Amino acid sequence: QVQLVESGGGLVQAGGSLRLSCAASGSTFSSYAMAWYRQAPGKQRDLVATITGGGSSNYADSVKGRFTISRDNAKNTVYLQMNGLKPEDTAVYYCNAGRLVNMVYRAYDYWGQGTQVTVSS
């Protein structure tokens, strides 16, 4: 069982930056791959970035070069640094714990409550 709590969302102008954090409970945090998803109003929840326990990361094409996922296993925390934000990045951002299966991220049913990111033009 993993409990996840996101923080760091807010309102920012286009071109600005935000850093999201996700604090996880439990002693096996480093054994999970972690991910950030986002969901805009009326749209499906999309995978944004993933990171393995060892720190290997992967990104959706829409955020490559602008977002950076990282983790601190000693603090049971995963981060999402978002630079060069665009209005289309506006969404609720969710943290997830999962695993890699044949190099593809598979989400477990462990989700945080989400944090709202709003980018104004």
Side-chain angles (χ1 to χ4, degrees), residues 42 57 62 69 81-82:
S57 57
S62 59
I69 189 171
Q81 177 67 44
M82 306 185 294

Side-chain angles (χ1 to χ4, degrees), residues 15-108:
S17 298
L18 283 174
R19 189 193 195 202
L20 306 183
S21 299
C22 172
S25 66
S27 60
T28 59
F29 175 74
S30 62
S31 68
Y32 291 100
M34 298 296 296
W36 287 96
Y37 286 74
R38 67 185 180 186
Q39 187 167 21
K43 296 189 176 181
Q44 67 181 18
R45 190 172 296 188
D46 291 329
L47 183 61
V48 174
T50 64
I51 188 166
T52 66
S56 296
S57 57
N58 204 0
Y59 300 90
D61 288 343
S62 59
V63 306
K64 277 181 183 176
R66 300 188 298 122
F67 290 11
T68 302
I69 189 171
S70 62
R71 66 191 295 162
D72 185 336
N73 289 335
K75 295 182 178 180
N76 282 13
T77 302
V78 61
Y79 305 97
L80 187 68
Q81 177 67 44
M82 306 185 294
N83 299 328
L85 283 161
K86 304 175 181 180
E88 52 263 43
D89 294 319
T90 295
V92 178
Y93 284 71
Y94 297 91
C95 179
N96 176 263
R99 67 200 188 281
L100 289 184
V101 178
N102 296 327
M103 302 302 291
V104 177
Y105 185 82
R106 300 299 185 195
Y108 290 126

